Amino acid sequence: MPKTRLEAFSDGVFAIAITLLIIEVRPPDSATGELAGDLVSLWPSYAAYVVSFAIIGIIWVNHHDIFGRIITVDRPLLFLNLLLLLTVAFLPFPTALLGEYIRQGDNAHIAAAVYGANMTAIGLAFIAMWTYLARVPALLVPEVGAEGARRARRAATIGPVVYGVSIALAFVSPVACLIVYAALALYFAISFTVAGRAEGEQVTDSR
Amino acid sequence: MPKTRLEAFSDGVFAIAITLLIIEVRPPDSATGELAGDLVSLWPSYAAYVVSFAIIGIIWVNHHDIFGRIITVDRPLLFLNLLLLLTVAFLPFPTALLGEYIRQGDNAHIAAAVYGANMTAIGLAFIAMWTYLARVPALLVPEVGAEGARRARRAATIGPVVYGVSIALAFVSPVACLIVYAALALYFAISFTVAGRAEGEQVTDSR
Amino acid sequence: MPKTRLEAFSDGVFAIAITLLIIEVRPPDSATGELAGDLVSLWPSYAAYVVSFAIIGIIWVNHHDIFGRIITVDRPLLFLNLLLLLTVAFLPFPTALLGEYIRQGDNAHIAAAVYGANMTAIGLAFIAMWTYLARVPALLVPEVGAEGARRARRAATIGPVVYGVSIALAFVSPVACLIVYAALALYFAISFTVAGRAEGEQVTDSR
Amino acid sequence: MPKTRLEAFSDGVFAIAITLLIIEVRPPDSATGELAGDLVSLWPSYAAYVVSFAIIGIIWVNHHDIFGRIITVDRPLLFLNLLLLLTVAFLPFPTALLGEYIRQGDNAHIAAAVYGANMTAIGLAFIAMWTYLARVPALLVPEVGAEGARRARRAATIGPVVYGVSIALAFVSPVACLIVYAALALYFAISFTVAGRAEGEQVTDSR
């Protein structure tokens, strides 16, 4: 399986998952004159849409960074990539939960915790990928190698740790969780941008 | 990130958003002999489908025009493009609102205003992109340059101004709004066509 | 706009429209022990799914045949192609209607007529495309030319005529309509196959 | 029709079908404090999501293996491929049935049987493809030939036989069915991986 096919398939899944998010924002069933109020009270759905959109967008950028360092794909990597896609394609479900329940007492804690658990799973899938690549460095471009894969894996551990902690935070304040997720997305977007400039965008895709 | 990957991902999002529009046109729950009448009274949904389809189609053409003038993509542009996609992928929601509420008193004003606000946001995302490109003209083909980016930005201001005004119009006549959106789509399609002929389709994609 | 981008975007819309068809087949809400019967009585939905899947598949093959004869794309052709996509992406709606209402008295006639009207619109979009190509033969490969475009347009008139007649048939027997659509899909698939063999698959894509 | 277009279209359908699976996992309508319990009781939906995701992922890998051995595509193969896509794109429906009914008495047997029937149909579509390729070996790379196609067809018969038997198992224990499907997916993933290593990943895509 050539790398480009795997990338194109993954891009397809990311593009669909990111665009499907909107169908979880359901138009309200409003009585006359109540649409404005009903739309305002849907704010958690919009917030969840924006945060999940940003997160999948950043995962897509991240995914390209990884495959920009890979020369060739073998079957285990192929299935580890499917595992990652499985966790990303699941995100519309906790996004819908968060939108629906974030203002609803006890349920809000659960919804935010499920969202955090999904994010943790995505982070673990990235770590699994780097762990495998550190073992089979022949798949990587020579400048990266096993050492680079181990460094990337260490850097990737931040994700599941932060998201794991957010599961606990969910039981304190679900809205704080949502703000943390939005802040993390913004942080990653900015740090990617700064890093990209610092490196002069050297890590380019071999395609 | 090579330009072609970003274009392919964006094309994927546009293709999905444009095709998802139809699932917001719900088959009516009709009693025997009433389907014909129920289908006729769904006309706002068909009209909203056609207008949003035309708008996303034109945005797709427009997007290609922009990337036909871009040589390379950096991280800020990557995230500005994600911002644009976020606003476009949101459009099925106000499309559903417009289809559902355009004949329903006060709610019709709100639905049309939300649609206009979404269109304004799309226009602002395009302006943000051109503003950035005017600052970093090295991303552009030499014949365009900073001056060309500023000219394109000025031309792009028409969008949010017209759509911003349409938000006010929504509170006068929601149906007039829909007609204005349809007319604008038709106008852009024709002016693109005429412009394309006048330029002899010179601005081509470097792919 | 290079031909390949337009083809990739159109392929995306066809792939999404064809895969979205299944979400119009809703799992029944069955009481204990009644799922088997409920699933059997969903047969019109399965039949509509299969027929629409076959039709979109054939349209996709047909679309490639056309663009295999085209060298370059201009703006009017771009918008005529969007018009075609608009009619194809609409098909999941009458497919859902047909599945839901084909056994329901008067409504069945309407549902089948709407399906026929959508098919007629698709056929007319193909004719519009060939009419334009006959006027601007410079877009075509030289071996085809204006004469080839006129021949293709004449051949394409069969579609809207047959589907137009099927609208009348819908008021006699909706089930007969569905059988005609299935038979037409089968006929086109077989005639394409035979034609492909006769020509030795000479009309190839320039990509 | 060049092979790459057919592959890209098929990849699109696989990517959409795999990503659409999540919209069959509906957020529960929970009263205050009951979301946790309601989410736990949704486990059949998550299990069905994971199993179907794995199955479509493996079908995608399998599809590439086949087209890695094909040089050129003719019309009959094109339509046999559409037949395969029709059966794969249908899978979200029995996936939803399985998630909804697996714990519901008699209905569970039916839901599992329908899932098994869909899997059997997918397997038969693969066999139909290999049967055709064995008859028209000119479509295959020379090293494979008619003999290789017959060998692949024999290997492919395992699928429909196992899945056919699973239809009977559905009437004994639907949960056992789900476990068998998960085990089969895992088995195929591992055997693909081992086979890929044994062959040194020699069967590569000609793209």
Side-chain angles (χ1 to χ4, degrees):
Chain A
M1 164 101 35
K3 196 182 81 157
T4 53
R5 301 317 287 275
L6 186 147
E7 286 179 307
F9 183 77
S10 305
D11 280 6
V13 170
F14 292 139
I16 299 155
I18 216 170
T19 318
L20 271 184
L21 290 169
I22 196 62
I23 68 170
E24 304 292 358
V25 185
R26 305 301 318 151
D29 215 8
S30 301
T32 307
E34 290 184 0
L35 183 59
D38 289 352
L39 286 176
V40 169
S41 72
L42 268 182
W43 69 262
S45 289
Y46 314 138
Y49 168 81
V50 170
V51 169
S52 289
F53 197 102
I55 285 170
I56 297 179
I58 288 163
I59 289 170
W60 169 65
V61 174
N62 208 4
H63 190 266
H64 273 293
D65 276 352
I66 294 182
F67 280 84
R69 298 174 202 178
I70 286 175
I71 302 169
T72 186
V73 175
D74 65 0
R75 288 301 163 93
L77 187 60
L78 187 63
F79 286 106
L80 286 170
N81 188 63
L82 276 175
L83 184 70
L84 173 68
L85 296 180
L86 184 145
T87 59
V88 173
F90 196 79
L91 202 60
F93 179 70
T95 303
L97 289 181
L98 210 55
E100 210 162 308
Y101 291 108
I102 204 168
R103 296 175 313 160
Q104 202 191 100
D106 283 354
N107 290 348
H109 301 297
I110 302 296
V114 170
Y115 196 97
N118 195 156
M119 289 304 303
T120 307
I122 292 171
L124 291 174
F126 271 118
I127 289 177
M129 219 178 235
W130 280 119
T131 303
Y132 180 73
L133 287 169
R135 278 198 207 159
V136 191
L139 301 174
L140 292 162
V141 295
E143 307 87 78
V144 175
E147 185 48 45
R150 276 190 292 272
R151 217 178 315 121
R153 186 182 51 191
R154 274 193 300 276
T157 50
I158 303 170
V161 167
V162 171
Y163 286 113
V165 168
S166 81
I167 299 177
L169 180 62
F171 291 97
V172 182
S173 166
V175 173
C177 265
L178 194 59
I179 292 168
V180 167
Y181 297 147
L184 275 175
L186 208 65
Y187 165 76
F188 283 127
I190 290 169
S191 71
F192 268 137
T193 301
V194 173
R197 284 199 167 160
E199 294 184 29
E201 297 286 334
Q202 280 165 359
V203 177
T204 51
D205 200 350
S206 69
R207 194 182 186 174
Chain B
M1 163 99 38
K3 196 182 79 158
T4 53
R5 300 317 288 273
L6 186 145
E7 286 178 308
F9 184 77
S10 306
D11 280 6
V13 170
F14 293 139
I16 299 155
I18 215 170
T19 319
L20 271 183
L21 289 169
I22 196 61
I23 68 171
E24 305 292 358
V25 185
R26 305 302 316 151
D29 215 8
S30 300
T32 307
E34 289 184 1
L35 183 59
D38 289 353
L39 287 176
V40 169
S41 72
L42 268 182
W43 69 262
S45 288
Y46 314 137
Y49 168 80
V50 170
V51 169
S52 289
F53 197 101
I55 285 170
I56 297 179
I58 288 163
I59 289 169
W60 170 64
V61 174
N62 207 5
H63 191 265
H64 274 293
D65 276 352
I66 295 182
F67 280 85
R69 298 175 202 176
I70 287 174
I71 302 169
T72 185
V73 175
D74 66 0
R75 289 302 164 95
L77 187 61
L78 188 64
F79 285 106
L80 287 171
N81 187 62
L82 276 175
L83 184 70
L84 173 68
L85 295 181
L86 184 145
T87 59
V88 174
F90 196 79
L91 202 59
F93 179 70
T95 303
L97 289 181
L98 210 54
E100 211 162 309
Y101 291 108
I102 203 168
R103 295 175 314 160
Q104 203 190 100
D106 283 354
N107 290 348
H109 300 297
I110 303 296
V114 170
Y115 195 97
N118 195 156
M119 290 304 304
T120 308
I122 292 171
L124 291 174
F126 271 117
I127 288 176
M129 220 177 235
W130 279 119
T131 303
Y132 180 73
L133 287 168
R135 278 199 208 157
V136 191
L139 301 175
L140 292 162
V141 296
E143 306 87 78
V144 175
E147 184 48 45
R150 276 191 293 271
R151 217 177 318 120
R153 186 182 51 190
R154 274 194 300 275
T157 50
I158 303 170
V161 168
V162 172
Y163 286 113
V165 169
S166 81
I167 300 177
L169 180 62
F171 292 97
V172 182
S173 166
V175 173
C177 266
L178 194 59
I179 293 168
V180 166
Y181 298 147
L184 275 175
L186 207 66
Y187 165 76
F188 283 128
I190 290 169
S191 71
F192 269 138
T193 301
V194 173
R197 284 202 166 157
E199 295 184 30
E201 298 286 337
Q202 281 165 1
V203 177
T204 52
D205 200 351
S206 68
R207 195 183 187 173
Chain C
M1 163 99 38
K3 195 182 81 157
T4 53
R5 301 316 288 274
L6 185 146
E7 286 179 308
F9 183 77
S10 306
D11 280 6
V13 170
F14 292 139
I16 299 154
I18 215 170
T19 319
L20 271 185
L21 290 170
I22 197 62
I23 68 170
E24 305 292 358
V25 185
R26 306 302 317 153
D29 215 8
S30 300
T32 307
E34 289 185 359
L35 183 58
D38 290 352
L39 286 176
V40 168
S41 72
L42 268 182
W43 70 261
S45 288
Y46 314 138
Y49 168 79
V50 170
V51 169
S52 289
F53 198 101
I55 284 170
I56 297 179
I58 288 162
I59 289 169
W60 169 64
V61 174
N62 208 5
H63 191 265
H64 273 294
D65 276 353
I66 294 181
F67 280 86
R69 299 176 201 177
I70 286 175
I71 302 169
T72 186
V73 175
D74 65 0
R75 288 302 164 93
L77 187 61
L78 188 64
F79 285 106
L80 287 171
N81 188 63
L82 276 175
L83 183 71
L84 174 68
L85 296 180
L86 183 145
T87 59
V88 173
F90 195 80
L91 201 59
F93 179 69
T95 303
L97 289 181
L98 210 55
E100 211 162 307
Y101 291 108
I102 204 168
R103 294 174 316 159
Q104 203 190 99
D106 282 354
N107 290 348
H109 300 298
I110 302 296
V114 171
Y115 195 97
N118 196 156
M119 290 304 304
T120 307
I122 293 172
L124 291 174
F126 272 117
I127 289 176
M129 220 177 233
W130 279 119
T131 303
Y132 181 72
L133 287 168
R135 276 197 208 159
V136 191
L139 301 174
L140 292 162
V141 296
E143 306 88 76
V144 175
E147 184 49 44
R150 276 190 293 271
R151 218 177 314 122
R153 186 182 50 190
R154 274 193 299 276
T157 49
I158 303 170
V161 167
V162 171
Y163 286 113
V165 168
S166 82
I167 299 177
L169 180 61
F171 292 97
V172 182
S173 166
V175 173
C177 266
L178 193 59
I179 293 169
V180 166
Y181 297 146
L184 275 175
L186 208 66
Y187 166 76
F188 283 127
I190 290 170
S191 71
F192 269 139
T193 301
V194 173
R197 284 199 167 160
E199 295 183 31
E201 298 285 337
Q202 281 165 0
V203 177
T204 53
D205 202 350
S206 69
R207 194 181 186 173
Chain D
M1 163 102 37
K3 196 182 79 157
T4 53
R5 301 317 288 274
L6 186 146
E7 285 179 308
F9 183 77
S10 305
D11 280 6
V13 171
F14 293 140
I16 299 154
I18 216 170
T19 319
L20 271 184
L21 289 170
I22 197 61
I23 68 171
E24 304 292 357
V25 185
R26 304 303 318 152
D29 214 8
S30 301
T32 307
E34 289 184 0
L35 183 58
D38 289 352
L39 286 177
V40 169
S41 72
L42 267 182
W43 69 262
S45 288
Y46 314 137
Y49 168 80
V50 170
V51 169
S52 289
F53 197 101
I55 285 170
I56 297 178
I58 288 163
I59 289 169
W60 169 65
V61 174
N62 207 6
H63 191 265
H64 274 293
D65 276 353
I66 294 182
F67 280 84
R69 298 175 201 176
I70 286 174
I71 303 168
T72 185
V73 175
D74 65 1
R75 289 302 165 93
L77 187 60
L78 188 63
F79 286 106
L80 287 171
N81 188 62
L82 276 175
L83 183 72
L84 173 68
L85 295 180
L86 184 145
T87 59
V88 173
F90 195 80
L91 202 59
F93 179 69
T95 303
L97 289 181
L98 210 55
E100 210 162 309
Y101 291 108
I102 203 169
R103 293 175 316 160
Q104 202 190 101
D106 282 354
N107 290 348
H109 301 297
I110 302 297
V114 170
Y115 195 97
N118 195 156
M119 289 304 303
T120 307
I122 293 171
L124 291 174
F126 272 117
I127 289 176
M129 220 178 234
W130 280 119
T131 302
Y132 180 73
L133 288 168
R135 278 198 206 158
V136 191
L139 301 174
L140 293 161
V141 295
E143 307 88 75
V144 176
E147 184 49 42
R150 276 190 291 271
R151 218 178 314 123
R153 186 182 51 190
R154 274 194 299 276
T157 49
I158 303 170
V161 168
V162 171
Y163 286 113
V165 168
S166 82
I167 300 177
L169 180 62
F171 291 97
V172 182
S173 167
V175 174
C177 266
L178 194 59
I179 292 169
V180 166
Y181 297 146
L184 276 175
L186 207 66
Y187 166 76
F188 283 127
I190 290 170
S191 70
F192 269 138
T193 302
V194 173
R197 283 199 167 162
E199 295 183 30
E201 298 285 335
Q202 280 165 0
V203 178
T204 53
D205 202 350
S206 68
R207 194 181 185 173

